[in-house]
């Protein structure tokens, strides 16, 4: 079979299964630009409309069902409609969603977070991870009286202007990355306030800090860049970043919005590194919109309105009862033993996907840590988001076709290859997914041979 026939076959199977989704997409296009509200949820020819989620299963508008390995981009660590969260949320909605007044649930969620995470003495809530990193940056600027934030090339921290810099890594330079704003509408002036360092490269970071420390408020990074490819930190890297920040007198912000699911105290506990500030989101809201930022008492107490020069932070739904109650229930059901189990499922899935690539004779791997991973179409090491981006480029349409074919086989992952496990899964779900990966890669092998022969592995079957 030639490449075109394989690609057409995958598309035809998708179209045949999703007639209702196609109609919904046509309706949506009339009232929503592109038919949706999130860039991340669009894919060609049109996205599948999901109508229900239960445990680790998603149901689409045409009666199809999928094991959900995306979990709303890692945020649903318990999968969908966890009974304890449903019960708490139903009870809370009857008693009022938000009061425009101080309310009790946020005390408990704040206590749970501060008890779990030694680096967080005080915490503030927001409604998204975007707000959490925006406020963490503001906190560092206010505390240090400096303006510049250093971020990682290929690091993603949400969609505020200061975060929309070098999200897609600079693939043109082998040396220090050249910062760029991500797309239209982001003022170029943010480049005066943001510098960009390569991931897993302490000498690159030191070069920036040694030259500019006097104007730098903080370094912000995800302990493992997720949109950048779930690239794990090399041993000693995060401790090295901490050391450099101390040496040059700048704050360290960890964006643990995704990585918090890896340990009850976040990936910082695994690395044995304490940042000054941490941004949180996703799993701590139990499936409701959430963000949070917290850190050392001395830094965070700048938000106390009794402070003569307090930092401005407010929001109509900050700390709302729904998010707080659901978040409490989610964390109550997430002891370290549950996290260990989700991580073990992830380890098995990640190893199995890499083995499936090898068995299919295609260069590829799943990279990540514990419950988090990303598919890459290369068997070469990926030390930083830059190498992940280069591999994605050289794979042409392969990821697009793999994603659609996995949907055809009942496996829901992120279009760009992001995958995570949940507490709702069992070993049988991992076995099912691995079988579907093997089948999808077997379907794609002749396509690889014709379109991207550099990705064929010689020892192929
Ligand atoms: C590491 C990281 N930071 C920040 C954000 C932004 O969070 P939100 O989408 O809730 O605004 C995300 C979202 O995926 C993320 O992955």
């Amino acid at each position: 079979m030639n490449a075109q026939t394989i690609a057409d076959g995958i598309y035809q199977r998708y179209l045949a299964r999703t007639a209702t989704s196609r109609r919904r997409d046509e309706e949506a296009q009339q009232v929503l630009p592109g038919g949706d509200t999130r860039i991340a949820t669009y894919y060609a020819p049109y996205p599948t409309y999901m109508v229900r989620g239960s445990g680790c299963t998603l149901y689409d508008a045409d009666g199809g069902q999928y094991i959900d390995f995306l979990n709303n981009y890692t945020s649903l660590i318990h999968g969908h409609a966890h009974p304890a969260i449903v019960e708490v949320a139903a009870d809370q909605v009857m008693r009022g969603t938000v009061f425009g007044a101080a309310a009790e649930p946020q005390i408990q969620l704040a206590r749970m977070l501060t008890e779990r995470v030694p680096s967080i003495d005080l915490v503030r809530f927001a409604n998204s991870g975007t707000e959490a990193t925006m406020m963490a940056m503001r906190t560092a600027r206010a505390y240090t009286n400096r303006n510049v934030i250093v971020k990682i090339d290929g690091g993603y921290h949400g969609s505020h202007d200061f975060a929309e810099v070098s999200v897609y890594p600079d693939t043109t330079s082998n040396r220090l990355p050249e910062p760029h704003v991500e797309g239209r509408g982001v003022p170029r002036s943010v480049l005066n306030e943001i510098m960009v360092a390569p991931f897993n490269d302490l000498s690159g970071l030191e070069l920036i800090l040694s030259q500019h420390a006097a104007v730098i408020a903080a370094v912000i990074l995800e302990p493992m860049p997720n949109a950048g490819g779930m690239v794990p930190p090399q041993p000693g890297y995060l401790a090295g970043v901490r050391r450099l920040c101390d040496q040059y007198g700048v704050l360290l912000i960890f964006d643990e919005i995704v990585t918090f699911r890896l340990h009850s105290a976040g990936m910082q506990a695994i690395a044995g590194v304490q940042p000054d500030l941490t941004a949180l989101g996703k799993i701590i809201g139990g499936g409701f919109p959430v963000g949070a930022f917290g850190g050392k008492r001395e830094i965070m107490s700048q938000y106390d309105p009794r402070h003569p020069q307090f930092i401005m932070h407010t929001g109509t739904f900050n700390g709302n009862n729904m998010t707080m109650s659901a978040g409490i229930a989610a964390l109550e059901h997430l002891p370290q033993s549950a996290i260990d189990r989700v991580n073990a499922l992830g380890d098995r899935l990640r190893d199995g996907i890499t083995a499936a690539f090898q068995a299919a004779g295609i260069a590829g791997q799943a990279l990540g840590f514990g419950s988090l991973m990303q598919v890459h179409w290369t068997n070469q090491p990926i030390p930083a988001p830059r190498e992940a981006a280069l591999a994605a480029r050289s794979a042409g349409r392969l990821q697009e076709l793999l994603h659609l074919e996995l949907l055809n086989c009942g496996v829901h992952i992120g279009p760009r290859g992001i995958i995570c496990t949940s507490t709702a899964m069992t070993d049988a779900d991992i076995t099912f997914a691995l079988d579907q990966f093997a089948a999808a890669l077997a379907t794609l092998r002749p396509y690889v041979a014709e379109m991207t022969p550099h990705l064929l592995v010689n020892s192929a079957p």
Side-chain angles (χ1 to χ4, degrees):
M1 221 189 285
N2 70 19
Q4 192 58 50
T5 317
I6 291 167
D8 288 350
I10 291 172
Y11 261 69
Q12 287 313 323
R13 284 195 288 283
Y14 183 79
L15 296 173
R17 291 188 312 101
T18 56
T20 307
S21 289
R22 186 173 63 230
R23 283 199 299 280
R24 292 287 170 275
D25 185 60
E26 283 162 11
E27 289 168 34
Q29 298 286 349
Q30 292 166 23
V31 286
L32 295 155
D36 204 352
T37 306
R38 294 167 80 176
I39 289 284
T41 49
Y42 175 79
Y43 48 88
Y46 50 81
T48 302
Y49 273 72
M50 301 297 178
V51 293
R52 191 163 75 84
S54 175
C56 64
T57 308
L58 277 175
Y59 300 85
D60 76 18
D62 286 286
Q65 66 182 64
Y66 311 82
I67 306 292
D68 186 11
F69 286 94
L70 184 54
N71 293 298
N72 190 30
Y73 282 83
T74 78
S75 61
L76 303 173
I77 195 160
H78 294 304
H80 303 271
H82 185 286
I85 300 176
V86 170
E87 189 184 332
V88 162
D91 179 58
Q92 188 63 58
V93 81
M94 302 292 281
R95 289 187 292 121
T97 59
V98 61
F99 299 142
E104 290 169 354
Q106 66 173 342
I107 305 174
Q108 193 180 341
L109 187 56
R111 183 164 293 132
M112 290 173 97
L113 293 173
T114 55
E115 281 173 4
R116 281 183 179 226
V117 188
S119 71
I120 301 183
D121 299 327
L122 298 173
V123 64
R124 300 271 295 195
F125 291 108
N127 298 298
S128 66
T130 292
E131 289 168 67
T133 65
M134 182 178 79
M135 295 309 302
M137 288 186 192
R138 183 181 296 178
T139 313
R141 286 174 168 143
Y143 184 75
T144 59
N145 227 356
R146 303 176 204 144
N147 271 348
V148 173
I149 305 284
V150 179
K151 76 175 284 289
I152 293 295
D153 190 40
Y156 178 62
H157 303 293
S159 50
H160 59 91
D161 287 349
F162 290 117
E164 291 284 13
V165 175
S166 298
V167 176
Y168 295 97
D170 177 4
T171 51
T172 59
S173 150
N174 278 322
R175 292 185 46 73
L176 274 190
E178 192 62 43
H180 59 274
V181 295
E182 220 51 83
R184 299 193 300 137
V186 179
R188 282 191 57 80
S189 56
V190 295
L191 296 179
N192 299 331
E193 322 288 357
I194 302 289
M195 291 179 186
V196 176
F199 188 65
N200 268 336
D201 179 346
L202 290 174
S203 59
L205 179 62
E206 179 150 30
L207 201 60
I208 293 174
L209 293 179
S210 63
Q211 290 174 9
H212 304 285
V215 293
I216 294 173
V219 173
I220 186 169
L221 77 167
E222 304 160 78
M224 177 170 72
N226 82 99
M230 296 293 182
V231 182
Q234 284 164 0
Y237 171 68
L238 295 173
V241 173
R242 173 75 272 181
R243 185 176 39 74
L244 288 175
C245 286
D246 289 342
Q247 184 180 334
Y248 289 97
V250 308
L251 298 184
L252 175 58
I253 307 171
F254 273 0
D255 177 346
E256 293 240 41
I257 287 162
V258 168
T259 53
F260 190 61
R261 61 162 31 234
L262 295 175
H263 188 280
S264 57
M267 199 169 189
Q268 54 192 266
I270 298 169
V273 173
Q274 293 211 0
D276 301 296
L277 290 163
T278 300
L280 297 170
K282 304 236 190 224
I283 69 162
I284 67 161
F288 286 82
V290 73
F293 58 101
K296 291 181 179 159
R297 181 172 299 275
E298 186 194 344
I299 300 173
M300 287 301 293
S301 57
Q302 297 178 105
Y303 285 93
D304 184 338
R306 296 163 300 184
H307 192 292
Q309 289 177 308
F310 67 87
I311 306 175
M312 187 60 192
H313 175 234
T314 190
T316 306
F317 290 98
N318 287 3
N320 74 80
N321 294 332
M322 297 307 301
T323 300
M324 298 298 108
S325 304
I328 292 163
L331 292 188
E332 274 174 345
H333 286 80
L334 198 65
Q336 185 60 43
S337 56
I339 294 179
D340 290 343
R341 196 180 78 79
V342 187
N343 281 342
L345 291 173
D347 290 341
R348 192 183 148 218
L349 183 59
R350 197 170 45 255
D351 291 347
I353 292 171
T354 300
F357 272 104
Q358 281 163 2
I362 301 172
Q365 60 184 298
L367 188 66
F369 187 92
S371 65
L372 293 167
M373 70 205 77
Q374 158 106 28
V375 172
H376 295 281
W377 294 83
T378 176
N379 50 14
Q380 299 303 305
I382 299 177
R386 177 179 183 276
E387 285 72 21
L390 288 168
R393 190 182 301 162
S394 89
R397 290 182 63 198
L398 282 172
Q399 182 52 41
E400 173 207 341
L401 294 173
L402 175 70
H403 170 246
L404 280 189
E405 184 63 351
L406 285 174
L407 285 175
N408 289 337
C409 300
V411 173
H412 185 244
I413 69 169
R416 288 194 301 135
I418 182 173
I419 294 171
C420 63
T421 48
S422 72
T423 61
M425 290 175 180
T426 65
D427 261 325
D429 298 308
I430 305 299
T431 303
F432 173 78
L434 289 175
D435 288 347
Q436 307 318 310
F437 260 94
L441 291 174
T443 301
L444 284 170
R445 191 168 195 282
Y447 182 97
V448 175
E450 187 180 327
M451 301 301 287
T452 54
H454 63 285
L455 294 180
L456 281 188
V457 178
N458 287 337
S459 59

PDB file of all heavy atoms in Angstrom, residues 128-130 156-158 222 226 255 257-258 282, ligand 1:
ATOM      1  N   SER A 128      -6.746  30.022  36.675  1.00  0.00           N
ATOM      2  CA  SER A 128      -6.054  29.313  35.597  1.00  0.00           C
ATOM      3  C   SER A 128      -4.564  29.301  35.913  1.00  0.00           C
ATOM      4  O   SER A 128      -4.065  30.112  36.710  1.00  0.00           O
ATOM      5  CB  SER A 128      -6.280  30.012  34.250  1.00  0.00           C
ATOM      6  OG  SER A 128      -5.662  31.292  34.269  1.00  0.00           O
ATOM      7  N   GLY A 129      -3.887  28.387  35.225  1.00  0.00           N
ATOM      8  CA  GLY A 129      -2.439  28.358  35.335  1.00  0.00           C
ATOM      9  C   GLY A 129      -1.818  29.606  34.745  1.00  0.00           C
ATOM     10  O   GLY A 129      -0.759  30.073  35.197  1.00  0.00           O
ATOM     11  N   THR A 130      -2.470  30.145  33.722  1.00  0.00           N
ATOM     12  CA  THR A 130      -1.993  31.389  33.126  1.00  0.00           C
ATOM     13  C   THR A 130      -1.886  32.482  34.182  1.00  0.00           C
ATOM     14  O   THR A 130      -0.867  33.171  34.299  1.00  0.00           O
ATOM     15  CB  THR A 130      -2.960  31.824  31.997  1.00  0.00           C
ATOM     16  OG1 THR A 130      -2.859  30.885  30.928  1.00  0.00           O
ATOM     17  CG2 THR A 130      -2.656  33.215  31.497  1.00  0.00           C
ATOM     18  N   TYR A 156       6.433  26.457  28.407  1.00  0.00           N
ATOM     19  CA  TYR A 156       5.077  27.000  28.273  1.00  0.00           C
ATOM     20  C   TYR A 156       4.542  27.348  29.655  1.00  0.00           C
ATOM     21  O   TYR A 156       4.536  26.510  30.555  1.00  0.00           O
ATOM     22  CB  TYR A 156       4.154  25.969  27.604  1.00  0.00           C
ATOM     23  CG  TYR A 156       2.736  26.456  27.475  1.00  0.00           C
ATOM     24  CD1 TYR A 156       2.436  27.576  26.706  1.00  0.00           C
ATOM     25  CD2 TYR A 156       1.681  25.822  28.131  1.00  0.00           C
ATOM     26  CE1 TYR A 156       1.137  28.051  26.579  1.00  0.00           C
ATOM     27  CE2 TYR A 156       0.370  26.281  28.019  1.00  0.00           C
ATOM     28  CZ  TYR A 156       0.113  27.392  27.242  1.00  0.00           C
ATOM     29  OH  TYR A 156      -1.171  27.861  27.125  1.00  0.00           O
ATOM     30  N   HIS A 157       4.070  28.586  29.815  1.00  0.00           N
ATOM     31  CA  HIS A 157       3.535  29.007  31.109  1.00  0.00           C
ATOM     32  C   HIS A 157       2.158  29.644  30.979  1.00  0.00           C
ATOM     33  O   HIS A 157       1.772  30.454  31.813  1.00  0.00           O
ATOM     34  CB  HIS A 157       4.509  29.980  31.783  1.00  0.00           C
ATOM     35  CG  HIS A 157       5.886  29.411  31.976  1.00  0.00           C
ATOM     36  ND1 HIS A 157       6.145  28.370  32.836  1.00  0.00           N
ATOM     37  CD2 HIS A 157       7.073  29.708  31.383  1.00  0.00           C
ATOM     38  CE1 HIS A 157       7.436  28.054  32.786  1.00  0.00           C
ATOM     39  NE2 HIS A 157       8.012  28.850  31.908  1.00  0.00           N
ATOM     40  N   GLY A 158       1.432  29.314  29.903  1.00  0.00           N
ATOM     41  CA  GLY A 158       0.108  29.893  29.730  1.00  0.00           C
ATOM     42  C   GLY A 158       0.112  30.944  28.652  1.00  0.00           C
ATOM     43  O   GLY A 158       1.070  31.059  27.865  1.00  0.00           O
ATOM     44  N   GLU A 222       9.526  25.038  34.137  1.00  0.00           N
ATOM     45  CA  GLU A 222       8.854  23.793  34.503  1.00  0.00           C
ATOM     46  C   GLU A 222       9.970  22.801  34.822  1.00  0.00           C
ATOM     47  O   GLU A 222      10.897  22.654  34.014  1.00  0.00           O
ATOM     48  CB  GLU A 222       8.049  23.230  33.336  1.00  0.00           C
ATOM     49  CG  GLU A 222       7.017  24.148  32.738  1.00  0.00           C
ATOM     50  CD  GLU A 222       6.661  23.678  31.335  1.00  0.00           C
ATOM     51  OE1 GLU A 222       5.903  22.713  31.196  1.00  0.00           O
ATOM     52  OE2 GLU A 222       7.168  24.265  30.354  1.00  0.00           O
ATOM     53  N   ASN A 226       6.641  20.483  29.513  1.00  0.00           N
ATOM     54  CA  ASN A 226       5.654  19.530  28.982  1.00  0.00           C
ATOM     55  C   ASN A 226       5.304  19.823  27.539  1.00  0.00           C
ATOM     56  O   ASN A 226       5.464  18.962  26.674  1.00  0.00           O
ATOM     57  CB  ASN A 226       4.449  19.428  29.906  1.00  0.00           C
ATOM     58  CG  ASN A 226       3.427  20.533  29.704  1.00  0.00           C
ATOM     59  OD1 ASN A 226       2.429  20.343  29.037  1.00  0.00           O
ATOM     60  ND2 ASN A 226       3.661  21.705  30.273  1.00  0.00           N
ATOM     61  N   ASP A 255       7.249  26.278  37.754  1.00  0.00           N
ATOM     62  CA  ASP A 255       5.894  26.097  37.245  1.00  0.00           C
ATOM     63  C   ASP A 255       5.593  24.606  37.332  1.00  0.00           C
ATOM     64  O   ASP A 255       6.046  23.818  36.510  1.00  0.00           O
ATOM     65  CB  ASP A 255       5.813  26.602  35.791  1.00  0.00           C
ATOM     66  CG  ASP A 255       4.434  26.374  35.176  1.00  0.00           C
ATOM     67  OD1 ASP A 255       3.649  25.606  35.749  1.00  0.00           O
ATOM     68  OD2 ASP A 255       4.176  26.963  34.106  1.00  0.00           O
ATOM     69  N   ILE A 257       2.518  23.360  37.314  1.00  0.00           N
ATOM     70  CA  ILE A 257       1.114  23.224  36.934  1.00  0.00           C
ATOM     71  C   ILE A 257       0.843  21.831  36.364  1.00  0.00           C
ATOM     72  O   ILE A 257      -0.207  21.242  36.617  1.00  0.00           O
ATOM     73  CB  ILE A 257       0.743  24.366  35.974  1.00  0.00           C
ATOM     74  CG1 ILE A 257       0.647  25.664  36.792  1.00  0.00           C
ATOM     75  CG2 ILE A 257      -0.534  24.092  35.188  1.00  0.00           C
ATOM     76  CD1 ILE A 257       0.704  26.930  36.002  1.00  0.00           C
ATOM     77  N   VAL A 258       1.781  21.291  35.650  1.00  0.00           N
ATOM     78  CA  VAL A 258       1.659  19.923  35.130  1.00  0.00           C
ATOM     79  C   VAL A 258       2.371  18.924  36.029  1.00  0.00           C
ATOM     80  O   VAL A 258       1.842  17.867  36.368  1.00  0.00           O
ATOM     81  CB  VAL A 258       2.205  19.850  33.690  1.00  0.00           C
ATOM     82  CG1 VAL A 258       2.368  18.418  33.228  1.00  0.00           C
ATOM     83  CG2 VAL A 258       1.279  20.601  32.736  1.00  0.00           C
ATOM     84  N   LYS A 282      -4.267  22.928  37.244  1.00  0.00           N
ATOM     85  CA  LYS A 282      -4.688  21.592  36.794  1.00  0.00           C
ATOM     86  C   LYS A 282      -5.247  20.710  37.915  1.00  0.00           C
ATOM     87  O   LYS A 282      -6.355  20.918  38.342  1.00  0.00           O
ATOM     88  CB  LYS A 282      -3.516  20.914  36.084  1.00  0.00           C
ATOM     89  CG  LYS A 282      -2.994  21.804  34.917  1.00  0.00           C
ATOM     90  CD  LYS A 282      -2.971  21.132  33.608  1.00  0.00           C
ATOM     91  CE  LYS A 282      -2.247  21.956  32.571  1.00  0.00           C
ATOM     92  NZ  LYS A 282      -2.903  22.040  31.289  1.00  0.00           N
TER      93      LYS A 282
HETATM   94  C1  LIG B   1       3.308  24.245  32.504  1.00  0.00           C
HETATM   95  C2  LIG B   1       2.055  25.045  32.275  1.00  0.00           C
HETATM   96  N1  LIG B   1       1.963  26.266  32.801  1.00  0.00           N
HETATM   97  C3  LIG B   1       0.854  27.004  32.646  1.00  0.00           C
HETATM   98  C4  LIG B   1      -0.223  26.543  31.935  1.00  0.00           C
HETATM   99  C5  LIG B   1      -1.443  27.385  31.771  1.00  0.00           C
HETATM  100  O1  LIG B   1      -2.509  26.862  32.507  1.00  0.00           O
HETATM  101  P1  LIG B   1      -3.999  27.212  32.084  1.00  0.00           P
HETATM  102  O2  LIG B   1      -4.265  26.509  30.791  1.00  0.00           O
HETATM  103  O3  LIG B   1      -4.832  26.698  33.224  1.00  0.00           O
HETATM  104  O4  LIG B   1      -4.071  28.696  31.936  1.00  0.00           O
HETATM  105  C6  LIG B   1      -0.178  25.268  31.372  1.00  0.00           C
HETATM  106  C7  LIG B   1      -1.294  24.749  30.595  1.00  0.00           C
HETATM  107  O5  LIG B   1      -1.258  23.719  29.970  1.00  0.00           O
HETATM  108  C8  LIG B   1       1.008  24.504  31.522  1.00  0.00           C
HETATM  109  O6  LIG B   1       1.128  23.304  30.954  1.00  0.00           O
END
